[in-house]
Amino acid sequence: MKKETLRVLLFALSALFAIVLLDQLVITNLKNSQVNIINVALIFFFCVSGMYLLLGLGGVLSLCSVTMLGLGAFVCGFLNTKLNVPIPAAMLLGALASGVLALFLGLLLLKLEGPCFVFGTIGVTYIGQSVFQNFAAFTGGPNGTGGIGKLVLFGYTFKTFKDWFPLLAVFVLLLILLLHRIKQTTFGRSLMAVRDDATAAYCMGVNVYRTKVVVFVLAGVLAGFGGSLYAVHNGTISASLFTFNTQLKFVIMLMLGGVMSPIGALFGTVLVNYLPELARFANSYLNLLYGCLIVLLMIFMPMGLAGILKEAVVRYRVQRNKQLPGDGGKGGPSDVVS
Amino acid sequence: MALFFQQTLTGVSVGLVYATVAMGLMLLLRAAGVMNFAQGNLLAMGAYLSFLFMEKLQLSSGLLMVILALAVFVAVGCVFCSVCFLPFKHAKWPQAMMICTIGAGTVIQECCLLFITAETRSVRPILAGSLSVGGFVIPYQYFFIFGAMLFMMTGLFFLFEKMYCGRVMSAAAQNKYAADLLGIPTNLTTMVTFCIVVCMVGFSGWLLAPVYRVSASLSNFQARAFASVVIGGFGSLKGAIIGGILVGLIEAYSTYFTTTYKDVVVFGCLLLVLAFCPQGIIPSGTKKEKA
């Protein structure tokens, strides 16, 4: 077996072990509302990981993932409550609907460059926000959609939030492995080439437009699947979640954890979602604290938590190499995070 | 017919506000390369400041208020620049700067809510009374808004097109490296641009306060400003102004057939413009002025 495969297997096994430990020791002792916050963070990670693919690998800043999340959630809810489609099929169809919307938008918008594309996606988010809030026949309007059925997998019904945690954690683990894998495929490498220099990538034979559209659709499908998970997990969906402010929160989650690292992004997501619970003592000053924190974090660690960690590791290696001059400078400053 | 005039008037006056916010956005994008997501919060800050001075502190002299407000805006501009621009000059990810403006916007909004007022308040208009002509009513405040906005826009044009310091600032915006070589203090010009933008947006918030009341939801104007920048033509100040007025008119006329889907109409137009003429309605001049 190759060393890389072994490492991935080891990572997956230890992560599974960590999930079991977390579930048995931490989650059972938390209040239901706190478990809900963590589960929702894990669901949001689907959306954030799509943005990691777009921004971290592809260098494309898209501000409409929240619309994909919302579409996935509402399609799943609509199919289940109005047309009685069974839950697993409704979830897949929700993800598919988001993918189709993403394909359409990607074909339309990805021809544009820089700020124009960002402005276009902002427009999509505002349209989505308005439609979700007002299109009562589809989304239930201001009341939202309620009474979505429970998920039944292999005869096991997921009833409480605590039942959901292991499932979501395993999903997230699979997602992280998938993201890790994507980075090593031809597609992932061409994506990074597009990020670093689109012209050079084009000259090397990468179809820039198609690569961007594919990654946009992939991010849309992930966000849509996250949305349908959200719908089934909560049982009710309210349109007030899918606003531009939530989208900005997703960007903050990604940047806080580290735009280049899926695991960092996961930590960022959980942290941002759990922060109101942690900083309850600050009550009315909470938002002020939050704003100050964002500013300070961006100034002092623009690559997020993962970036700081990586830098520390590199510095440690450099120091160790200095102490052992015979080591041949392995892991030297050549891969310093810039 | 009266309804049509009324809609046009509201459209244009709201459009002028979008235009100032959009112009601020454009200037910052050119000078600092930052997409400012705190623009709406700065607008709201202007409105809060008007409430603070006029109702809470009961200042009587108009001149004193303007000078105080100017001082506050310049201070905010300097702090904003040194927090959101200077630390990121050599950053690899331009997105970090953008996130920083989101954080700064949250801080500004929370400061207003905590230290000035947490409730939605109304402010008395600067010019009371209204003019009624054949069935439709124009409050005098609207004329004041028109006048002040036109004054601000012409001032800005004069600064950037005719005056030496304005040219220096556009030079620094267009090519930082070359401007540095010519001895232009680029940090200073960027800071001045930030101050001008904060003053402009802040005073528009001040003018809007009597019409829209003072609340944090004033920051929603920002989204329309994004739309105006694109519709008018990306990269030019003229485009931002015309785009702003167009967006205001589209929004006002859309009430003829829908009230709930206003956002869909406005941003649908944005997507249409992006799809069919991505250079915007005024493509000329963008090459010349583009950063």
Side-chain angles (χ1 to χ4, degrees), chain B residues 133-155:
Chain B
V133 182
F136 82 108
V137 185
I138 319 166
Y140 283 131
Q141 176 77 14
Y142 276 84
F143 290 116
F144 196 75
I145 293 180
F146 282 148
M149 297 285 171
L150 285 179
F151 175 72
M152 254 193 268
M153 284 170 195
T154 40

Side-chain angles (χ1 to χ4, degrees), chain B residues 16-99:
Chain B
L16 283 173
V17 178
Y18 295 156
T20 44
V21 181
M23 266 157 71
L25 208 64
M26 204 60 255
L27 282 176
L28 286 186
L29 205 56
R30 278 194 334 182
V34 55
M35 202 179 283
N36 185 12
F37 278 91
Q39 205 79 337
N41 300 114
L42 290 172
L43 190 79
M45 184 189 73
Y48 274 103
L49 221 55
S50 82
F51 172 76
L52 178 70
F53 288 162
M54 289 167 80
E55 308 288 325
K56 228 175 174 181
L57 301 179
Q58 299 279 0
L59 296 182
S60 51
S61 146
L63 191 67
L64 181 68
M65 281 196 269
V66 170
I67 291 172
L68 271 179
L70 210 58
V72 172
F73 291 148
V74 168
V76 170
C78 289
V79 173
F80 196 72
C81 177
S82 47
V83 164
C84 292
F85 172 67
L86 296 182
F88 297 101
K89 270 182 78 181
H90 305 292
K92 192 182 167 199
W93 289 86
Q95 280 82 17
M97 215 195 284
M98 199 194 81
I99 310 282

